Amino acid sequence: MSLLSKNAGFRRVVIDHVSPQVDGGRNPFKRVLGDWITFKAHAFADSHDLLIVELRLRLHGESEWQIIPMRELGNDEFEATFETREIGLYEYEIAGVIDHYGSWYEGFKKKHAEGLPIDLECRIGAELLEHIANRAPKKEAERFREWAAHLGDSNANIDTRVSLAYSRHVAGMARAYPQREWETCSARSLMLVERELAAFSSWYEYFPRSCADDGVTHGTFKDAAKRLPEVQRMGFNIVYFPPINPIGREFRKGKNNTLTPSPEDVGSPWAIGAKEGGHKSILPELGTLEDFQWFLSEAGNHGAEVALDIAFQCAPDHPWVKEHPQWFRWRPDGTVQYAENPPKKYQDILPINFESDDWENLWEELKSVFEYWIGVGVKVFRVDNPHTKSMEFWRWCILNIKAKHPEVLFLAEAFTRPKRKYFLAKGGFTHGYTYFTWRNTATELQQYVEELTTGEAKDYFWPNFWPNTPDILHEDLQTGNRATYIGRYLLAATLSSNIGIYGPSYELLDHVPYPGKEENNNSEKYQLKAWNWDEPGNIKNEIARINWIRNSHSAFQRTFNVQFIPCSNTHIIAYLKQNFDHTDRFIVVVNMDWEHKQVGTLELPMEELKLASDGQLRLRDLFSDDQKEYTWQGPTAYLELSPNANQAHILEIIG
Amino acid sequence: MSLLSKNAGFRRVVIDHVSPQVDGGRNPFKRVLGDWITFKAHAFADSHDLLIVELRLRLHGESEWQIIPMRELGNDEFEATFETREIGLYEYEIAGVIDHYGSWYEGFKKKHAEGLPIDLECRIGAELLEHIANRAPKKEAERFREWAAHLGDSNANIDTRVSLAYSRHVAGMARAYPQREWETCSARSLMLVERELAAFSSWYEYFPRSCADDGVTHGTFKDAAKRLPEVQRMGFNIVYFPPINPIGREFRKGKNNTLTPSPEDVGSPWAIGAKEGGHKSILPELGTLEDFQWFLSEAGNHGAEVALDIAFQCAPDHPWVKEHPQWFRWRPDGTVQYAENPPKKYQDILPINFESDDWENLWEELKSVFEYWIGVGVKVFRVDNPHTKSMEFWRWCILNIKAKHPEVLFLAEAFTRPKRKYFLAKGGFTHGYTYFTWRNTATELQQYVEELTTGEAKDYFWPNFWPNTPDILHEDLQTGNRATYIGRYLLAATLSSNIGIYGPSYELLDHVPYPGKEENNNSEKYQLKAWNWDEPGNIKNEIARINWIRNSHSAFQRTFNVQFIPCSNTHIIAYLKQNFDHTDRFIVVVNMDWEHKQVGTLELPMEELKLASDGQLRLRDLFSDDQKEYTWQGPTAYLELSPNANQAHILEIIG
């Protein structure tokens, strides 16, 4: 249809500026179960006629709409509020239509008040009621016809006709049957309502194969389960495993990513697939499918869900390579180019060719990988490097899964440029990894968090802050001390409601890098490790305390409720976190100089705190051993923060 | 298609955030002939492949696209600039596709520099060149095949193969033939490029029927032509007539809008249609079609185009009422309800029913009214109350006319709520009337102009400022003095590049209202008037001077180039106007207290003026009789402005 075609003129209502809405409705905005969502739109017509504007929602795939009338705010703006009571992928639309009888009703009242002749007006109203009778269901139709007959009868008593005309009941009934074929409707739009875990999660990543603890014996799911009590004590609610699939033998990597493995080398879990199977199989050394399902239930008993790592790539001996050679890009010498993510090279991994002519089968097979594990009982997925696969594939794959399994969460491991990260989020990824790891000064971090929490992406991009991962040991951690590790975790955990660490590397301060790289030396990615899980100097208690604060205070269970507090010293970062009804409020202050004491003065946001400019604030530092209390006299507060004593405060506002 | 359908995965490029763009491209944004337009978009794909992103434009209805490559700005943002050389309704789109050979070329250079084995890489490049050969036209195809053969020949000299691989020429040629069937394209979008008169116009409205000058004889086009030299001397470039169609006799209005006309009463020109004809006929008393065409040419000789008033409504004796009764809304008593625009009542006018089943014929007939007058030679239309007719009708009607006759301008007389005004502008109306008339303090006026010039609507809504109209004699004018009339015109003319007055009422200070109304007494809308066009005290010379400044200075020929200057006295409004390259710069100051002298101090925008904070500014007041010069020493300037001496300055910055 040309942009200049006729759009039927009797559709007299214009619907415009629908919000919230992402990409004209094609992609979903996100909210959490229990949220109240305010929908808005502009709606207007020519003339002074009244409008009926309504919001319609339904879970994708349902046939019945839930209809919510929108109220007029003036200036042609309309609004409706929807309380989310069920998670899922929703469709919604906003429709407007003229209320002919209501418009007549308002005009009638004015004309009658002016003392104008009224018989003809009544007869016009009667005609409108007859039209409504033709549209209404049988039972109502009869009543409309009776009303019409009386209202339109010039020989009847004019007083009873006038009271019928004045009837709010009749006008209200009539509003239910406007001329719907003349309505204007916004684009069909998507919305995702997520479960609480999507808004608030603490991930703990570890390698089950290292859980035999001697660095030689291959760990199993049974071994991994032994770590669960400690993970629970530290307060995490998701345990996340690197891929548990069979590991390729061709071009297998040796320790420290070398190209010359010895026979006992275990290879990288991301080199997926071997003769034992591919993405729907389990590495036999870890255990059986039953063992894995047992682990799922054990984790549940310890308050955690299990996240699996899905990496759509193949070792050269993955069954797909033989069964579906058309899914790979073959070179003139009959080989497939291995994966690269410059400067990284993955000689043990073949990328999938999304330009394959057989893309539809490929897509279905990839989606079925998630569906397989969902069938096994997994509800959380971390997806490896999604930004190196077709963007439209992800949107289709994830939204279709969410439509059937709205409880399933997806974390995008996309350390890439912002617009790709945002597109993946629009395509349905619940969380995205962020640049938190590389924001190492108070100014940088504040700027970044403000971009995430106030930019247009906040309707769909939910950040997940990770101080470390098996791929990233930031220079600040390499050269850092205990205060660095505590401080970076505390920042992540109090700024973002979704966070994770790669342990036990993190809590044991495993800071030695592979020379010249941003990665751990002797990384578990390529070998078994013998961790001393109770190594002296570890920060498990500090992590446990921070997570206890998060778990017991709703102020930290959302990300977009942060307000930064100016401080005179740029080494100190400070922010206010408040829950939705301001019954749970915190001021967090952190000295980001991990080596030296810093002093500074905060300018307190007295207005936001609803205090007079010299008002008093009582605070309790939940992060301190003695739960120390302070009284601050506004509008400023003086701080002294030392790395080895009180590097940070997590101050609950108690009065 | 469901929102969850597959969008082919080999379309790996995402195109997003296209700008400028209105309503996702469905409605046009506007620019003026000669403007350089910068188009932007986000474009990205999975992987590190290079992209080819291009802007395509064409006049609506043409088959060939003009293609402009977009350059990458970094961070996945692309940009292209288009110089407008032809007015018209354009379509544009932004498309992106992977540059497979270019991506290979960049990879090859790196791999060669690293000293990696290169034969296989060359063979991969050769395969890509072969694919390109299959897509290229015959002549180029042969060359691509030759290159492919050499590059892929493992037996050939490796040095010449490598230099072929390094060839920027080959890579550049290859860019012309990407895999177009895999491209991603934005929504087809509209853009209007208007002629200069759309950006800069000075309208003079008068009633030709009053031009016989005795209040009794009906004026003709010949009489109206006698006013043209004076209109030209005052510096207007559009003369605008109220409707020139036959005027209905049924329910004709008498003087001062009374319902009891005497036989000699001429009625309202907006009560269109009688036995002599309707919207395509001329009131015989004004002259013939030939007379009107002669007037068009006379106006042209005096530097003005003629605007006709199109009012889609009918007197009860309009031929359409009998010929097309289905275009009207009939009441049970066999009459049609007359038009109302509360509190105004138009007993002599029947509205058209846009809910008619016969809407398609109705639309065609209405559009043909414009087409008829365009055929006669009219290129400018003022449209009466468009907001009381179907919004979608206007969009269809105007955009289709603009597609064929891009030189035609439309002014929407829509004194209605903002969102309707904006929608009419999006539907193609060149100008819209504004609330200027009701913004009577410096603060109100500044706020309003800032809303118009910086809000999102500036891409499509072009304001037209009218200090008065035959329908609106604002209380400030009713009670105002000479300074009020001069001041209000000066404000309109220096704030907005498009302006108009209803004369000679305005320049003769015809300030007597019909009691209790915002309208002139004994209005020309209902009777002939005998004006003394040279009445003492008139402000024709002041208007002429203001228009002379506008006509000779490009700073005043655009609306969106205004920057307000803070003043210590809220009675004084001050603003900077600069043309696009800052070669024409003005500071305008106006005392908006029309009765008393006011003094105040300006805070000059020294940075915007590119001056040091104590820099000097030389100015010449083009509005003063003696073209007085001033030297201001920044950063402030002291002003004294008196209503009867120097109520305003129009200060050209001369150094």
Side-chain angles (χ1 to χ4, degrees), chain B residues 311-328:
Chain B
F312 283 143
Q313 55 205 23
C314 296
D317 38 339
H318 190 296
W320 284 348
V321 181
K322 278 217 178 67
E323 291 165 16
H324 304 283
Q326 72 279 21
W327 294 351
F328 301 87

Side-chain angles (χ1 to χ4, degrees), chain A residues 40-286:
Chain A
K40 297 191 181 211
H42 298 176
F44 52 91
D46 57 280
S47 87
H48 303 274
D49 287 344
L50 299 186
L51 305 189
I52 297 167
V53 183
E54 60 188 35
L55 166 68
R56 302 180 193 141
L57 305 106
R58 66 182 174 198
L59 286 165
H60 189 273
E62 284 188 352
S63 55
E64 292 293 303
W65 291 102
Q66 178 178 348
I67 293 171
I68 302 176
M70 298 188 77
R71 63 184 169 281
E72 189 163 4
L73 305 175
N75 196 20
D76 299 318
E77 294 172 14
F78 287 76
E79 185 182 285
T81 302
F82 172 70
E83 185 189 2
T84 55
R85 297 187 187 181
E86 195 173 349
I87 63 168
L89 180 65
Y90 287 75
E91 297 179 321
Y92 64 94
E93 59 187 26
I94 288 175
V97 66
I98 303 282
D99 178 6
H100 285 98
Y101 187 81
S103 306
W104 170 85
Y105 173 77
E106 292 302 322
F108 174 86
K109 289 192 292 183
K110 277 183 209 142
K111 283 172 184 159
H112 186 251
E114 285 177 40
L116 297 177
I118 219 65
D119 171 64
L120 181 57
E121 278 307 310
C122 287
R123 286 161 65 195
I124 294 170
E127 277 193 357
L128 294 170
L129 288 175
E130 272 163 32
H131 293 164
I132 290 166
N134 295 335
R135 296 193 288 266
K138 208 170 174 186
K139 199 177 140 198
E140 275 86 1
E142 252 170 68
R143 301 174 63 191
F144 282 115
R145 274 198 195 94
E146 280 165 30
W147 291 329
H150 188 61
L151 189 60
D153 181 359
S154 298
N155 298 320
N157 180 307
I158 190 67
D159 291 338
T160 62
R161 290 171 72 203
V162 166
S163 26
L164 185 60
Y166 266 100
S167 165
R168 293 174 64 122
H169 175 65
V170 174
M173 292 275 294
R175 263 179 87 83
Y177 307 105
Q179 203 139 8
R180 280 284 166 210
E181 69 275 25
W182 291 359
E183 81 169 19
T184 305
C185 193
S186 74
R188 189 73 53 86
S189 303
L190 292 176
M191 160 175 94
L192 263 177
V193 175
E194 299 277 5
R195 62 186 172 124
E196 182 62 25
L197 189 68
F200 174 57
S201 62
S202 315
W203 299 51
Y204 186 80
E205 174 178 8
Y206 67 110
F207 284 70
R209 71 185 184 184
S210 287
C211 291
D213 284 349
D214 62 5
V216 178
T217 314
H218 198 289
T220 64
F221 296 128
K222 297 271 177 201
D223 298 320
K226 292 180 206 148
R227 308 313 321 160
L228 289 173
E230 187 68 1
V231 171
Q232 181 174 31
R233 190 184 74 81
M234 283 194 284
F236 292 95
N237 60 10
I238 293 181
V239 296
Y240 148 43
F241 286 165
I244 60 171
N245 313 110
I247 295 172
R249 287 179 189 81
E250 286 185 35
F251 293 95
R252 178 175 283 195
K253 293 289 182 86
K255 293 184 182 66
N256 279 317
N257 200 19
T258 49
L259 298 172
T260 50
S262 33
E264 72 277 11
D265 271 328
V266 289
S268 160
W270 287 273
I272 291 167
K275 65 173 190 291
E276 294 83 359
H279 284 78
K280 297 175 188 168
S281 303
I282 290 178
L283 182 72
E285 288 85 342
L286 288 170

Side-chain angles (χ1 to χ4, degrees), chain A residues 2-14 16-17 23 25-27 42-49 60 72 74-77 89 91 98 100 110-111 114 116 120-121 123-124 127 179 182 188-190 329-333 335 337-338 340-342 345 354-357 359-360 363-364 386-393 395-396 399-400 403 417-420 423 426 456 460, chain B residues 2-14 16-17 23 25-27 42-49 60 72 74-77 89 91 98 100 110-111 114 116 120-121 123-124 127 179 182 188-190 329-333 335 337-338 340-342 345 354-357 359-360 363-364 386-393 395-396 399-400 403 417-420 423 426 456 460:
Chain A
S2 156
L3 282 164
L4 304 193
S5 305
K6 287 193 188 86
N7 183 14
F10 46 70
R11 296 221 170 87
R12 286 169 48 211
V13 181
V14 176
D16 215 348
H17 280 79
D23 293 338
R26 180 176 186 254
N27 292 317
H42 298 176
F44 52 91
D46 57 280
S47 87
H48 303 274
D49 287 344
H60 189 273
E72 189 163 4
N75 196 20
D76 299 318
E77 294 172 14
L89 180 65
E91 297 179 321
I98 303 282
H100 285 98
K110 277 183 209 142
K111 283 172 184 159
E114 285 177 40
L116 297 177
L120 181 57
E121 278 307 310
R123 286 161 65 195
I124 294 170
E127 277 193 357
Q179 203 139 8
W182 291 359
R188 189 73 53 86
S189 303
L190 292 176
R329 196 188 292 274
W330 295 88
R331 303 193 292 184
D333 66 349
T335 63
Q337 170 66 50
Y338 56 77
E340 295 177 301
N341 194 7
K345 292 182 180 180
F354 282 82
E355 292 180 348
S356 169
D357 289 340
W359 63 273
E360 294 204 64
W363 284 26
E364 295 292 345
H387 59 290
T388 62
K389 284 96 194 169
S390 159
M391 297 277 161
E392 286 292 338
F393 160 72
R395 182 186 175 280
W396 168 83
L399 293 185
N400 277 283
R417 294 195 296 270
K419 291 170 182 64
R420 300 195 213 189
F423 187 86
K426 292 197 273 194
E456 69 156 64
Y460 48 86
Chain B
S2 156
L3 283 163
L4 304 193
S5 305
K6 289 193 187 86
N7 184 14
F10 46 70
R11 295 218 173 89
R12 287 170 47 211
V13 181
V14 176
D16 214 346
H17 281 78
D23 293 337
R26 180 175 187 253
N27 292 318
H42 298 175
F44 52 91
D46 55 280
S47 88
H48 304 274
D49 287 344
H60 189 272
E72 189 163 4
N75 196 20
D76 299 317
E77 293 171 16
L89 180 65
E91 296 179 322
I98 303 281
H100 285 98
K110 278 183 208 141
K111 284 171 183 160
E114 284 178 40
L116 297 176
L120 181 57
E121 278 307 310
R123 285 161 66 194
I124 294 170
E127 277 192 358
Q179 203 139 5
W182 291 358
R188 188 75 53 86
S189 303
L190 292 176
R329 195 188 292 274
W330 295 87
R331 303 194 292 183
D333 66 349
T335 64
Q337 170 66 49
Y338 56 75
E340 295 177 301
N341 194 7
K345 292 182 180 181
F354 282 82
E355 292 181 347
S356 169
D357 289 340
W359 63 273
E360 294 204 65
W363 285 26
E364 294 293 343
H387 59 290
T388 61
K389 284 96 195 168
S390 158
M391 297 276 161
E392 285 291 338
F393 161 72
R395 182 185 176 280
W396 169 82
L399 293 185
N400 277 283
R417 294 196 295 270
K419 291 170 182 66
R420 301 194 211 189
F423 187 86
K426 292 197 273 194
E456 70 156 64
Y460 49 86

Side-chain angles (χ1 to χ4, degrees), chain B residues 395-441:
Chain B
R395 182 185 176 280
W396 169 82
C397 174
I398 294 189
L399 293 185
N400 277 283
I401 291 174
K402 295 290 286 189
K404 281 197 191 139
H405 308 284
E407 73 285 3
V408 174
L409 311 187
F410 298 87
L411 164 60
E413 188 242 6
F415 289 111
T416 183
R417 294 196 295 270
K419 291 170 182 66
R420 301 194 211 189
K421 295 163 68 68
Y422 290 157
F423 187 86
L424 291 165
K426 292 197 273 194
F429 273 99
T430 322
H431 298 162
Y433 280 62
T434 65
Y435 310 134
F436 168 75
T437 325
W438 297 277
R439 297 297 180 269
N440 302 103
T441 69

